[in-house]
Amino acid sequence: MKWVSQDLKRYTQAKEYVDTIIMPLIPFQIAPDEDANKKAIQNESLSIISNEIEKELSGRVMLLPNYYYIKSAEKDSEITRLNVLSAELSKQPFTHTFFITFDMDWKRYEKDLDSHLLWFPSVQSEDLESKEVVSIIRDQVLQICELIRSYW
Amino acid sequence: MSEKKQQVSRRQFLNYTLTGVGGFMAAGMLVPMLRMAVDPVLQPSASGDYANIGLSVDDITTEPQRVDWKIDQVDGWYESEVSKSAWVYKDDNDDIIALSPICTHLGCVVSWEGSDQHPNEFFCPCHDGRYEKDGTNIPGTPPLEPLHRYTQKVENGMLFLGDAKPREEA
């Protein structure tokens, strides 16, 4: 399910079945140009991956909107914000919360976060439509789904 | 006023004007009626389209195989290319069955023999929903209706699939 009105109607009927939250953490960067380009590609590919995960596990997972933060800023304030979110989510019957990201900086702060962090490497290619990239992404999606299922 | 001699008499002028205005009013009443009659023919039948899923009929076995294809979808705001998939196989009567992998419980994707403890069944990983090979939901599991079936046709030995419909309607 996504955080859109059409799905939320179904969600309110079936709250006890939807117990998992997924939120992509995406760094924003506008300068220097090359890094900004890379980050923009990662933004697209992580959005695609999280949408595919939502399609696979639609009835048990709620995909939250992307969480953007400034790459160069200190992580501490972000951690505080994310923990506030985790606290809010745990008031609803969500037993599992996953943050997914390509940004490896989060791995260092993993223990400060109240929810599970899933980091995985990004596909470096610019062409997200090519057959190879599509199949790599498809594999990643299936592996992440397996990982999520192992927590259930 | 103009120097030129008025060719048209006042009566004729009035005649022309009245005919013109009368014509506009008649057209204004008739055109919407004509449009309403013709419109249904002009509608593109988007939901009646079948898509070539790239599977030859000879390749279909009695073992369900998954096929993925894309179609264009237009909603109020976006036009997008949507990915669809189906589990296709031949049953004992040699009929082609194309099942939608969307679980009828809450929409997760089911897979054939997805669970080692339940062979020969479709398995939904979200809430352990299970279906028989022909799509019937197994009682005691969350789904309350069978898997939807795709409308289908075979052309030149290739399988074409349309929309997925609930079992009773197909």
PDB file of all heavy atoms in Angstrom, chain B residues 153-169:
ATOM      1  N   LYS B 153      -7.026 -14.502 -26.173  1.00  0.00           N
ATOM      2  CA  LYS B 153      -7.297 -15.017 -27.512  1.00  0.00           C
ATOM      3  C   LYS B 153      -5.980 -15.435 -28.130  1.00  0.00           C
ATOM      4  O   LYS B 153      -4.910 -14.958 -27.735  1.00  0.00           O
ATOM      5  CB  LYS B 153      -8.012 -13.970 -28.379  1.00  0.00           C
ATOM      6  CG  LYS B 153      -7.202 -12.739 -28.700  1.00  0.00           C
ATOM      7  CD  LYS B 153      -7.986 -11.826 -29.620  1.00  0.00           C
ATOM      8  CE  LYS B 153      -7.139 -10.618 -29.997  1.00  0.00           C
ATOM      9  NZ  LYS B 153      -7.839  -9.641 -30.775  1.00  0.00           N
ATOM     10  N   VAL B 154      -6.070 -16.326 -29.075  1.00  0.00           N
ATOM     11  CA  VAL B 154      -4.869 -16.813 -29.747  1.00  0.00           C
ATOM     12  C   VAL B 154      -4.905 -16.345 -31.191  1.00  0.00           C
ATOM     13  O   VAL B 154      -5.903 -16.524 -31.879  1.00  0.00           O
ATOM     14  CB  VAL B 154      -4.810 -18.356 -29.712  1.00  0.00           C
ATOM     15  CG1 VAL B 154      -3.593 -18.845 -30.463  1.00  0.00           C
ATOM     16  CG2 VAL B 154      -4.790 -18.841 -28.273  1.00  0.00           C
ATOM     17  N   GLU B 155      -3.804 -15.701 -31.597  1.00  0.00           N
ATOM     18  CA  GLU B 155      -3.744 -15.227 -32.985  1.00  0.00           C
ATOM     19  C   GLU B 155      -2.403 -15.626 -33.557  1.00  0.00           C
ATOM     20  O   GLU B 155      -1.366 -15.309 -32.971  1.00  0.00           O
ATOM     21  CB  GLU B 155      -3.874 -13.700 -32.989  1.00  0.00           C
ATOM     22  CG  GLU B 155      -4.973 -13.184 -33.887  1.00  0.00           C
ATOM     23  CD  GLU B 155      -5.188 -11.703 -33.711  1.00  0.00           C
ATOM     24  OE1 GLU B 155      -4.305 -10.945 -34.125  1.00  0.00           O
ATOM     25  OE2 GLU B 155      -6.228 -11.311 -33.141  1.00  0.00           O
ATOM     26  N   ASN B 156      -2.419 -16.322 -34.705  1.00  0.00           N
ATOM     27  CA  ASN B 156      -1.161 -16.736 -35.340  1.00  0.00           C
ATOM     28  C   ASN B 156      -0.290 -17.533 -34.380  1.00  0.00           C
ATOM     29  O   ASN B 156       0.926 -17.388 -34.379  1.00  0.00           O
ATOM     30  CB  ASN B 156      -0.359 -15.527 -35.827  1.00  0.00           C
ATOM     31  CG  ASN B 156      -1.105 -14.741 -36.878  1.00  0.00           C
ATOM     32  OD1 ASN B 156      -1.943 -15.302 -37.585  1.00  0.00           O
ATOM     33  ND2 ASN B 156      -0.820 -13.454 -36.954  1.00  0.00           N
ATOM     34  N   GLY B 157      -0.918 -18.318 -33.530  1.00  0.00           N
ATOM     35  CA  GLY B 157      -0.120 -19.142 -32.628  1.00  0.00           C
ATOM     36  C   GLY B 157       0.455 -18.389 -31.446  1.00  0.00           C
ATOM     37  O   GLY B 157       1.162 -18.971 -30.629  1.00  0.00           O
ATOM     38  N   MET B 158       0.171 -17.068 -31.340  1.00  0.00           N
ATOM     39  CA  MET B 158       0.674 -16.295 -30.198  1.00  0.00           C
ATOM     40  C   MET B 158      -0.480 -15.997 -29.255  1.00  0.00           C
ATOM     41  O   MET B 158      -1.610 -15.780 -29.683  1.00  0.00           O
ATOM     42  CB  MET B 158       1.273 -14.956 -30.679  1.00  0.00           C
ATOM     43  CG  MET B 158       2.427 -15.106 -31.636  1.00  0.00           C
ATOM     44  SD  MET B 158       3.857 -15.854 -30.881  1.00  0.00           S
ATOM     45  CE  MET B 158       4.433 -14.570 -29.824  1.00  0.00           C
ATOM     46  N   LEU B 159      -0.158 -15.977 -27.972  1.00  0.00           N
ATOM     47  CA  LEU B 159      -1.196 -15.737 -26.979  1.00  0.00           C
ATOM     48  C   LEU B 159      -1.342 -14.241 -26.725  1.00  0.00           C
ATOM     49  O   LEU B 159      -0.360 -13.534 -26.559  1.00  0.00           O
ATOM     50  CB  LEU B 159      -0.836 -16.452 -25.678  1.00  0.00           C
ATOM     51  CG  LEU B 159      -1.842 -16.328 -24.533  1.00  0.00           C
ATOM     52  CD1 LEU B 159      -3.167 -16.947 -24.908  1.00  0.00           C
ATOM     53  CD2 LEU B 159      -1.301 -16.974 -23.272  1.00  0.00           C
ATOM     54  N   PHE B 160      -2.591 -13.782 -26.730  1.00  0.00           N
ATOM     55  CA  PHE B 160      -2.880 -12.384 -26.420  1.00  0.00           C
ATOM     56  C   PHE B 160      -3.706 -12.348 -25.141  1.00  0.00           C
ATOM     57  O   PHE B 160      -4.664 -13.119 -24.999  1.00  0.00           O
ATOM     58  CB  PHE B 160      -3.703 -11.742 -27.552  1.00  0.00           C
ATOM     59  CG  PHE B 160      -2.894 -11.406 -28.767  1.00  0.00           C
ATOM     60  CD1 PHE B 160      -2.359 -12.412 -29.552  1.00  0.00           C
ATOM     61  CD2 PHE B 160      -2.677 -10.083 -29.126  1.00  0.00           C
ATOM     62  CE1 PHE B 160      -1.617 -12.105 -30.678  1.00  0.00           C
ATOM     63  CE2 PHE B 160      -1.942  -9.772 -30.260  1.00  0.00           C
ATOM     64  CZ  PHE B 160      -1.408 -10.783 -31.045  1.00  0.00           C
ATOM     65  N   LEU B 161      -3.337 -11.453 -24.225  1.00  0.00           N
ATOM     66  CA  LEU B 161      -4.112 -11.361 -22.989  1.00  0.00           C
ATOM     67  C   LEU B 161      -4.695  -9.966 -22.825  1.00  0.00           C
ATOM     68  O   LEU B 161      -4.051  -8.968 -23.174  1.00  0.00           O
ATOM     69  CB  LEU B 161      -3.235 -11.674 -21.773  1.00  0.00           C
ATOM     70  CG  LEU B 161      -2.764 -13.124 -21.672  1.00  0.00           C
ATOM     71  CD1 LEU B 161      -1.926 -13.296 -20.419  1.00  0.00           C
ATOM     72  CD2 LEU B 161      -3.944 -14.072 -21.627  1.00  0.00           C
ATOM     73  N   GLY B 162      -5.930  -9.898 -22.311  1.00  0.00           N
ATOM     74  CA  GLY B 162      -6.581  -8.604 -22.083  1.00  0.00           C
ATOM     75  C   GLY B 162      -6.544  -8.234 -20.624  1.00  0.00           C
ATOM     76  O   GLY B 162      -5.488  -8.167 -20.024  1.00  0.00           O
ATOM     77  N   ASP B 163      -7.716  -8.011 -20.045  1.00  0.00           N
ATOM     78  CA  ASP B 163      -7.779  -7.617 -18.643  1.00  0.00           C
ATOM     79  C   ASP B 163      -8.085  -8.817 -17.762  1.00  0.00           C
ATOM     80  O   ASP B 163      -8.723  -9.762 -18.195  1.00  0.00           O
ATOM     81  CB  ASP B 163      -8.894  -6.579 -18.442  1.00  0.00           C
ATOM     82  CG  ASP B 163      -8.566  -5.271 -19.129  1.00  0.00           C
ATOM     83  OD1 ASP B 163      -7.389  -4.939 -19.218  1.00  0.00           O
ATOM     84  OD2 ASP B 163      -9.512  -4.600 -19.570  1.00  0.00           O
ATOM     85  N   ALA B 164      -7.675  -8.710 -16.513  1.00  0.00           N
ATOM     86  CA  ALA B 164      -7.965  -9.781 -15.569  1.00  0.00           C
ATOM     87  C   ALA B 164      -9.351  -9.563 -14.993  1.00  0.00           C
ATOM     88  O   ALA B 164      -9.688  -8.456 -14.572  1.00  0.00           O
ATOM     89  CB  ALA B 164      -6.924  -9.786 -14.445  1.00  0.00           C
ATOM     90  N   LYS B 165     -10.158 -10.618 -14.992  1.00  0.00           N
ATOM     91  CA  LYS B 165     -11.505 -10.485 -14.451  1.00  0.00           C
ATOM     92  C   LYS B 165     -11.731 -11.542 -13.374  1.00  0.00           C
ATOM     93  O   LYS B 165     -11.158 -12.612 -13.416  1.00  0.00           O
ATOM     94  CB  LYS B 165     -12.522 -10.695 -15.580  1.00  0.00           C
ATOM     95  CG  LYS B 165     -12.448  -9.637 -16.655  1.00  0.00           C
ATOM     96  CD  LYS B 165     -13.711  -9.627 -17.486  1.00  0.00           C
ATOM     97  CE  LYS B 165     -13.946  -8.388 -18.287  1.00  0.00           C
ATOM     98  NZ  LYS B 165     -12.772  -7.706 -18.790  1.00  0.00           N
ATOM     99  N   PRO B 166     -12.618 -11.239 -12.414  1.00  0.00           N
ATOM    100  CA  PRO B 166     -12.948 -12.244 -11.399  1.00  0.00           C
ATOM    101  C   PRO B 166     -13.520 -13.490 -12.065  1.00  0.00           C
ATOM    102  O   PRO B 166     -14.111 -13.406 -13.125  1.00  0.00           O
ATOM    103  CB  PRO B 166     -14.016 -11.545 -10.537  1.00  0.00           C
ATOM    104  CG  PRO B 166     -13.814 -10.113 -10.764  1.00  0.00           C
ATOM    105  CD  PRO B 166     -13.290  -9.965 -12.169  1.00  0.00           C
ATOM    106  N   ARG B 167     -13.347 -14.621 -11.422  1.00  0.00           N
ATOM    107  CA  ARG B 167     -13.615 -15.903 -12.077  1.00  0.00           C
ATOM    108  C   ARG B 167     -15.032 -16.022 -12.605  1.00  0.00           C
ATOM    109  O   ARG B 167     -15.252 -16.516 -13.686  1.00  0.00           O
ATOM    110  CB  ARG B 167     -13.331 -17.019 -11.090  1.00  0.00           C
ATOM    111  CG  ARG B 167     -13.592 -18.397 -11.653  1.00  0.00           C
ATOM    112  CD  ARG B 167     -12.341 -19.150 -11.922  1.00  0.00           C
ATOM    113  NE  ARG B 167     -11.722 -19.535 -10.676  1.00  0.00           N
ATOM    114  CZ  ARG B 167     -11.723 -20.766 -10.187  1.00  0.00           C
ATOM    115  NH1 ARG B 167     -12.324 -21.720 -10.832  1.00  0.00           N
ATOM    116  NH2 ARG B 167     -11.145 -21.034  -9.065  1.00  0.00           N
ATOM    117  N   GLU B 168     -16.024 -15.538 -11.891  1.00  0.00           N
ATOM    118  CA  GLU B 168     -17.409 -15.765 -12.325  1.00  0.00           C
ATOM    119  C   GLU B 168     -17.713 -15.007 -13.602  1.00  0.00           C
ATOM    120  O   GLU B 168     -18.544 -15.418 -14.380  1.00  0.00           O
ATOM    121  CB  GLU B 168     -18.411 -15.315 -11.250  1.00  0.00           C
ATOM    122  CG  GLU B 168     -18.420 -16.182 -10.029  1.00  0.00           C
ATOM    123  CD  GLU B 168     -17.219 -15.943  -9.143  1.00  0.00           C
ATOM    124  OE1 GLU B 168     -16.835 -14.782  -8.963  1.00  0.00           O
ATOM    125  OE2 GLU B 168     -16.651 -16.922  -8.666  1.00  0.00           O
ATOM    126  N   GLU B 169     -17.019 -13.856 -13.807  1.00  0.00           N
ATOM    127  CA  GLU B 169     -17.348 -13.047 -14.976  1.00  0.00           C
ATOM    128  C   GLU B 169     -16.655 -13.549 -16.227  1.00  0.00           C
ATOM    129  O   GLU B 169     -17.093 -13.330 -17.323  1.00  0.00           O
ATOM    130  CB  GLU B 169     -16.882 -11.601 -14.765  1.00  0.00           C
ATOM    131  CG  GLU B 169     -17.704 -10.834 -13.771  1.00  0.00           C
ATOM    132  CD  GLU B 169     -17.147  -9.431 -13.601  1.00  0.00           C
ATOM    133  OE1 GLU B 169     -16.572  -8.901 -14.559  1.00  0.00           O
ATOM    134  OE2 GLU B 169     -17.274  -8.885 -12.500  1.00  0.00           O
TER     135      GLU B 169
END
